[in-house]
Amino acid sequence: MSNSATPRTPVPALDIAAGPIALTRQLCDIESVSGDEQRIADAVAVALAAAPHLHVTRDGDTIIARTELGRTQRVIIAGHLDTVPINNNVPVHERVDAATGEAVLWGRGTVDMKAGAAVQLVLARELTEPAYDITWVWYDHEEVSSELNGLGRALRHHPELFTADFAILCEPTSGGIEGGCNGTLRARVSMLGKRAHSARAWMGVNALHRAAPLLQRLAEFQPETVRVDGLDYREGLNAVRISGGVAGNVIPDRCDIEVNFRFAPHRSTDDAVAFVREFFADADEIEIVDLAAAARPGLDAPLAQSLVARVAGEPHAKDGWTDVARFAELGMPAVNLGPGDPSLAHADDERVPLTQIMAVYEALRGWLTDAL
Amino acid sequence: MSNSATPRTPVPALDIAAGPIALTRQLCDIESVSGDEQRIADAVAVALAAAPHLHVTRDGDTIIARTELGRTQRVIIAGHLDTVPINNNVPVHERVDAATGEAVLWGRGTVDMKAGAAVQLVLARELTEPAYDITWVWYDHEEVSSELNGLGRALRHHPELFTADFAILCEPTSGGIEGGCNGTLRARVSMLGKRAHSARAWMGVNALHRAAPLLQRLAEFQPETVRVDGLDYREGLNAVRISGGVAGNVIPDRCDIEVNFRFAPHRSTDDAVAFVREFFADADEIEIVDLAAAARPGLDAPLAQSLVARVAGEPHAKDGWTDVARFAELGMPAVNLGPGDPSLAHADDERVPLTQIMAVYEALRGWLTDAL
């Protein structure tokens, strides 16, 4: 965790002019596991202070930089600064991907999402006269629980800074557009029993045995793929944790199964809760422990359509939950667009193709200067 | 834990002459959770030192007291001194059982097994000229893992003291004879999978879902009741613990189910292992974590038959595993006989009818003086 009582090491100087690939590596080299974003936020703030066309606001370790050019439309372009913990995957370095033959930057943070943050930072400095007013955001605490999320906090503290017509989140999408996102619900589903000595099991009721039909139903369940506004969202319902048991000689009186429901944007959060309660109607207890709304893709917005025209490939649905849902909740169309394969996020062999960093940089730059 | 560096409190003086009920309460009043048996063992040793007809050996907190009268037959009569932890059920006191109207001693240790230990102690002092030579044993660490068991340790250290024709373990049997005991096997049965982000579950394999058929098979299994040497042993196969899961957003790659198989004396330990391996033939891993042999009832032995004739009621099978199996392994017939309902052992409302304490005392005294 950052600690203001500790003597501060000098703020790392970022060389923005070196370009988005070099800057990706510079950002990866600043340790920034969730809770430890102070130095990287300092570095971003110093780099932006040199740009007179930006009005900068800091909220904790979240940096908001706005152009104020009086354009008729405004776009939010946001990304997070933190990473999940390192796991023998630093320092970040260039290599050739053995599987694809592509040149990549390899290591923690390259995909999720220093490459996206670097593209934002180069463009924020470079585009002094963009076609739309832009609200650039770099935020803290994305990789941990939702209540710590820096974007959510900044939205609460400074709602006036987040008025816009469209939002882009630079989370990894392999350089294509991923619209909206699935919602996510976690519930603790429990079966109860009655304890007894396991030498006299017939005097008790085994809660683990009673949980068998629930697990069997999960195993047999075929989740749907749902088309919403032209994109296909693949749902999922899984047991992610299970626990139960008292001692090696006691019939257990409780079995807790934590289930995670990833639901498409055609369902509201209420719909998702109702679905899970119905699916486990025979459970003894159901407690919803986490719930985040899905987001519709928003691709019918004119700004989204012009972006789609700029980016190679067909738009896809975003499988995972992302902070685009925070913009969708405000009624703002929002998409994901960033370098890196999302299935490599958090992987130990996280790596981003160099050409993807440049392609996203080029696509965004072109779009942001199109109307000029 | 006992600690010889701590200043010792005075050894509690036991009033043996007060009788088995009063002595039960005195023994209950000496704190003696497993690992803390030093003071109670001291008290027993002091009480026996006053009996010149007994030859006493101490091994840790296990006390062995033998008559050496040159009788043609020798009997071991054994019981443990430790209890499971107290749980708002001390001090032990007399009350009338609301359910039965019987006068009982209520509280931790009354059933398991201070009443049995007290009967042993009164008889050890009283019977200076028993019909058979007797090896009295009070031992430590019965309520914890098998490798700490004081009876097992004393058997290893002093095998010569344990030569005998018959053994009685004064574990609770509601005052009747319970022959032999079921064996017990614990195994960790595991299913494996492949991790993936739960937003893209189709890229992984859910180990919890794969475990469903194993739990379902356990739930549907009908254990046998097996007649061995005239007694009915009821088997049981149960999941006693389950665990699995990595994080709320990760498809789990492992599910561990701990199962407990209580098996009748017609099966050897090898048979029991083979049964479990066959039952879970489709599991990815099976590890046997605990295994203790069953014991045949041994009721065809002449000493057993004369004891059965003395004790009210029909002999029954012992459901739980007890230390009689240690004697059975030596080829020695052995039975359980003690005051208290075994299903109340370890219960928070553990309680023993006063008349049962006296009945066991009378039956044993009669049998031990029969041949005179």
Side-chain angles (χ1 to χ4, degrees), chain B residues 354-368:
Chain B
L354 303 185
T355 54
Q356 260 182 34
I357 303 177
M358 296 312 291
V360 171
Y361 166 73
E362 279 295 320
L364 273 177
R365 193 171 62 146
W367 179 68
L368 288 167

Side-chain angles (χ1 to χ4, degrees), chain A residues 134-196:
Chain A
I134 306 175
T135 303
W136 300 100
V137 186
W138 294 264
Y139 59 101
D140 56 285
H141 283 98
E142 193 272 345
E143 297 291 3
V144 286
S145 74
S146 181
E147 64 268 26
L148 294 176
N149 185 290
L151 179 60
R153 187 190 63 238
L155 275 162
R156 290 191 300 276
H157 290 174
H158 307 284
E160 73 285 357
L161 298 182
F162 291 91
T163 309
D165 302 287
F166 184 55
I168 300 170
L169 198 66
C170 295
E171 289 274 5
T173 61
S174 298
I177 288 178
E178 294 189 352
C181 68
N182 272 327
T184 180
L185 175 158
R186 281 184 304 125
R188 202 184 61 221
V189 178
S190 304
M191 292 304 265
L192 305 181
K194 180 168 171 263
R195 288 191 197 186

Side-chain angles (χ1 to χ4, degrees), chain A residues 40-51:
Chain A
I40 196 168
D42 287 351
V44 169
V46 166
L48 296 171

Side-chain angles (χ1 to χ4, degrees), chain B residues 123-211:
Chain B
L123 291 171
R125 277 280 293 267
E126 193 174 319
L127 301 178
T128 55
E129 296 276 346
Y132 320 108
D133 268 317
I134 306 176
T135 303
W136 300 101
V137 187
W138 295 264
Y139 59 101
D140 56 286
H141 283 97
E142 193 271 346
E143 298 291 5
V144 284
S145 74
S146 182
E147 64 268 25
L148 294 176
N149 186 290
L151 180 60
R153 187 190 63 239
L155 274 161
R156 288 191 302 275
H157 290 175
H158 308 284
E160 73 286 358
L161 297 182
F162 291 91
T163 309
D165 302 287
F166 184 56
I168 300 170
L169 197 66
C170 295
E171 287 276 3
T173 60
S174 297
I177 287 179
E178 295 189 351
C181 69
N182 273 328
T184 180
L185 175 158
R186 282 186 303 124
R188 200 186 62 220
V189 179
S190 305
M191 292 305 264
L192 305 181
K194 178 168 172 268
R195 288 191 196 186
H197 196 292
S198 65
R200 289 174 290 278
W202 55 89
M203 297 184 69
V205 177
N206 194 318
L208 306 191
H209 295 190
R210 291 192 67 230

Side-chain angles (χ1 to χ4, degrees), chain A residues 9 23 65 117 136 144 166-167 195 199 207 219 225 234 245 251-252 304 318 324 333 347:
Chain A
T9 49
L23 186 57
W136 300 100
V144 286
F166 184 55
R195 288 191 197 186
T225 295
R234 193 161 172 179
I251 300 301
K318 186 76 181 168
V324 295

Side-chain angles (χ1 to χ4, degrees), chain B residues 211-290:
Chain B
L214 274 57
L215 279 184
Q216 190 62 43
R217 199 178 312 144
L218 280 167
E220 287 166 4
F221 179 65
Q222 298 289 339
E224 281 181 84
T225 296
V226 184
R227 178 154 284 236
V228 179
D229 298 349
L231 299 187
D232 291 328
Y233 291 83
R234 192 163 174 181
E235 296 193 318
L237 181 62
N238 275 274
V240 288
R241 270 193 272 241
I242 193 167
S243 64
V246 178
N249 61 355
V250 176
I251 300 302
D253 56 351
R254 180 170 198 97
C255 182
D256 295 313
I257 304 174
E258 185 177 315
V259 298
N260 183 209
F261 182 35
R262 300 284 175 154
F263 55 96
H266 71 307
R267 300 189 204 261
S268 67
T269 51
D270 285 349
D271 293 341
V273 169
F275 178 89
V276 166
R277 290 197 181 276
E278 169 73 21
F279 193 87
F280 296 109
D282 51 344
D284 292 321
E285 295 176 3
I286 299 179
E287 189 189 352
I288 308 298
V289 294
D290 190 36

Side-chain angles (χ1 to χ4, degrees), chain A residues 193-228:
Chain A
K194 180 168 171 263
R195 288 191 197 186
H197 196 290
S198 63
R200 288 174 291 279
W202 55 90
M203 297 183 70
V205 177
N206 193 320
L208 306 191
H209 295 190
R210 291 193 68 230
L214 274 56
L215 279 185
Q216 189 65 43
R217 200 178 312 144
L218 279 168
E220 289 166 2
F221 179 65
Q222 298 289 338
E224 281 180 84
T225 295
V226 184
R227 178 156 281 237
V228 180

